[in-house]
Amino acid sequence: EPVDEALYYYRTSPVFTTEGLVTARYFFGFFGFGVAGDFRFLNWSTPTQLAQTRMLVGVGPSVSVSFIDNATMRLSLGAHWTPLISSDWGRITGDFELSYKLFTLTVVGGRTSDGPLDVNQHAGYFVGAFAGIRYAW
């Protein structure tokens, strides 16, 4: 029986996803330029299905603007394009950071996918928020 190609390439969203973003930027006043690296681990495996996982790593440029940046408060926006290594030329993410004294809140969002930018790529968008401690020196 022939396989329906559209059904063969169809995937639901991953059951388990881990993503990480690391940036190193140098600031010239309010503007920062540097490099970003991201890591994505996608797992579509279920108890009734064979293991289907994918691990992607990307590297690329990062830019940011800090509207306020001192020992007490920080307010910044950043954009990161990480197409190298994974060949995902559409991988663009951004972050918003608000810190006050020891508290920090970061919201990260952007485009995500399951591989290189081509006709078989499955893509979408994500948003995540993180709260933590910021120690300024």
Side-chain angles (χ1 to χ4, degrees), residues 124-137:
Y125 298 92
F126 75 96
V127 174
F130 311 94
I133 296 173
R134 173 185 183 244
Y135 184 73
W137 62 86

Side-chain angles (χ1 to χ4, degrees), residues 1 16 19 22 24 26 28-29 33 36 40 43 45 51-52 56-57 60 66-67 73 78 85 87 94 101 114 132 136:
E1 184 172 318
F16 179 77
E19 296 203 23
V22 176
Y26 186 81
F28 300 93
F33 300 95
R40 290 175 278 167
N43 187 343
S45 303
Q52 295 182 24
L56 301 164
V57 175
S66 286
F67 301 102
M73 187 172 181
I85 299 175
S87 297
K101 295 188 178 180
D114 65 353

Side-chain angles (χ1 to χ4, degrees), residues 17-20 38-42 54-58 82 86 88 91 111-116 121 126:
T17 302
T18 301
E19 296 203 23
D38 73 12
F39 168 82
R40 290 175 278 167
F41 177 78
L42 309 172
R54 182 161 294 168
M55 188 169 31
L56 301 164
V57 175
T82 53
S86 68
D88 185 358
R91 175 69 170 178
R111 185 180 180 282
T112 190
S113 68
D114 65 353
Q121 182 192 67
F126 75 96

Side-chain angles (χ1 to χ4, degrees), residues 12-85:
T12 59
S13 60
V15 175
F16 179 77
T17 302
T18 301
E19 296 203 23
L21 175 69
V22 176
T23 60
R25 294 169 284 197
Y26 186 81
F27 281 84
F28 300 93
F30 295 107
F31 298 101
F33 300 95
V35 65
D38 73 12
F39 168 82
R40 290 175 278 167
F41 177 78
L42 309 172
N43 187 343
W44 290 272
S45 303
T46 63
T48 61
Q49 191 176 24
L50 293 175
Q52 295 182 24
T53 61
R54 182 161 294 168
M55 188 169 31
L56 301 164
V57 175
V59 176
S62 174
V63 296
S64 62
V65 177
S66 286
F67 301 102
I68 301 169
D69 191 7
N70 56 48
T72 305
M73 187 172 181
R74 181 180 180 128
L75 178 64
S76 67
L77 291 172
H80 323 287
W81 183 46
T82 53
L84 304 177
I85 299 175

Side-chain angles (χ1 to χ4, degrees), residues 72-74 98-104 134:
T72 305
M73 187 172 181
R74 181 180 180 128
L98 174 63
S99 299
Y100 182 71
K101 295 188 178 180
L102 289 178
F103 175 76
T104 187
R134 173 185 183 244

